[in-house]
Amino acid sequence: MIVETKTECCKIVSEDIEDAIVLEGSPGAGLIGNIIGWLLVDNLKMREIGYIESKYFPPLAVLYKGVALHPFRIYEGNGLVLFLSDFIVPQEVVFDMTNAIVDWMEKNNSKELVTFNSAIVREKMNPAGAVANTTESLDRLKEKDFPIMQIGNINGLSGTLLTQTAQKNIKATCILAETLTQYPDPRAASEAVKGLNKLLDMDIDYEPLIQEAQDIESRLQKLAEDVKNDPQPPIYM
């Protein structure tokens, strides 16, 4: 049955899926959450069960294999529910949307939340780290040997979801991948998938992301060599 969960500026339209682990993936630096979301949909053969809509969203549709999709979709499969956005959610919508997601989780007795984000670094030094919304959840991360981010900010949906789930006594984790730039970073996303596997005792195949990263790196290397071997002539004014 399709039901609606409304707040002032957005609405969740989806099936109710009870007792699931909820994942959230949306674009940020390195597009970590978005890359992971698409991998999960393909790898786990997840089923689309709904979407989030708002008049504040950008006017767009996402094309996938020739089909136009809603830009913020909800999937389920393997005991997981995935909230997947293909655009950066406007700041004026984040608070209300977070409340709608948490209300949906509370209504469906969701087990926990896992969200994805990134940390921009000068040099990648560690596997994906994590933060939690309670000391109990933090102890769990330490037991699983996650590097813990001690001080800093978690922006966007991830940060607000961590604080709002804490108010509802829903345990939540944000997995953070190190990335060097704002550009898509499938290699960093693969590290976050390794972290997800460790956290939930799963075996999601992240090799496609490593292959994608290698393809990108090969193209960039070739481009650099082409520029070096055939530089553009100087332009005189």
Side-chain angles (χ1 to χ4, degrees), residues 43-116:
N43 191 284
L44 302 180
K45 310 301 181 188
M46 300 184 83
R47 176 175 67 94
E48 186 175 346
I49 61 168
Y51 56 89
I52 302 181
E53 66 177 19
S54 170
K55 65 181 180 182
Y56 298 101
F57 286 176
L60 62 88
V62 177
L63 293 178
Y64 181 62
K65 296 181 179 179
V67 177
L69 304 177
H70 195 282
F72 200 134
R73 300 168 307 287
I74 307 169
Y75 296 90
E76 71 86 22
N78 294 74
L80 305 173
V81 169
L82 169 67
F83 286 78
L84 176 60
S85 171
D86 282 299
F87 61 93
I88 297 175
V89 177
Q91 288 189 358
E92 60 267 27
V93 184
V94 168
F95 183 76
D96 278 344
M97 177 180 291
T98 298
N99 284 330
I101 293 173
V102 173
D103 287 347
W104 187 94
M105 292 181 64
E106 200 171 29
K107 180 173 63 176
N108 285 282
N109 194 34
S110 300
K111 294 178 180 178
E112 65 177 296
L113 170 81
V114 181
T115 181
F116 305 98

Side-chain angles (χ1 to χ4, degrees), residues 29-40:
L31 299 185
I32 304 302
N34 188 258
I35 292 172
I36 293 171
W38 278 105
L39 176 76
L40 293 173

Side-chain angles (χ1 to χ4, degrees), residues 112-151:
E112 65 177 296
L113 170 81
V114 181
T115 181
F116 305 98
N117 213 309
S118 55
I120 297 180
V121 296
R122 293 183 178 179
E123 182 181 0
K124 293 183 181 181
M125 300 290 291
N126 299 301
V131 297
N133 68 342
T134 65
T135 54
E136 292 81 4
S137 295
L138 185 63
D139 289 339
R140 175 191 179 199
L141 296 178
K142 292 177 179 178
E143 290 172 1
K144 291 179 176 286
D145 295 323
F146 275 92
I148 305 299
M149 178 178 173
Q150 298 293 334
I151 298 176

Side-chain angles (χ1 to χ4, degrees), residues 141-188:
L141 296 178
K142 292 177 179 178
E143 290 172 1
K144 291 179 176 286
D145 295 323
F146 275 92
I148 305 299
M149 178 178 173
Q150 298 293 334
I151 298 176
N153 298 319
I154 308 294
N155 297 322
L157 281 177
S158 294
T160 312
L161 280 168
L162 287 175
T163 57
Q164 295 304 102
T165 49
Q167 293 183 26
K168 299 289 187 177
N169 294 316
I170 300 172
K171 63 181 179 181
T173 301
C174 179
I175 297 177
L176 295 156
E178 293 184 343
T179 186
L180 303 177
T181 71
Q182 296 283 345
Y183 298 108
D185 190 344
R187 191 179 296 279

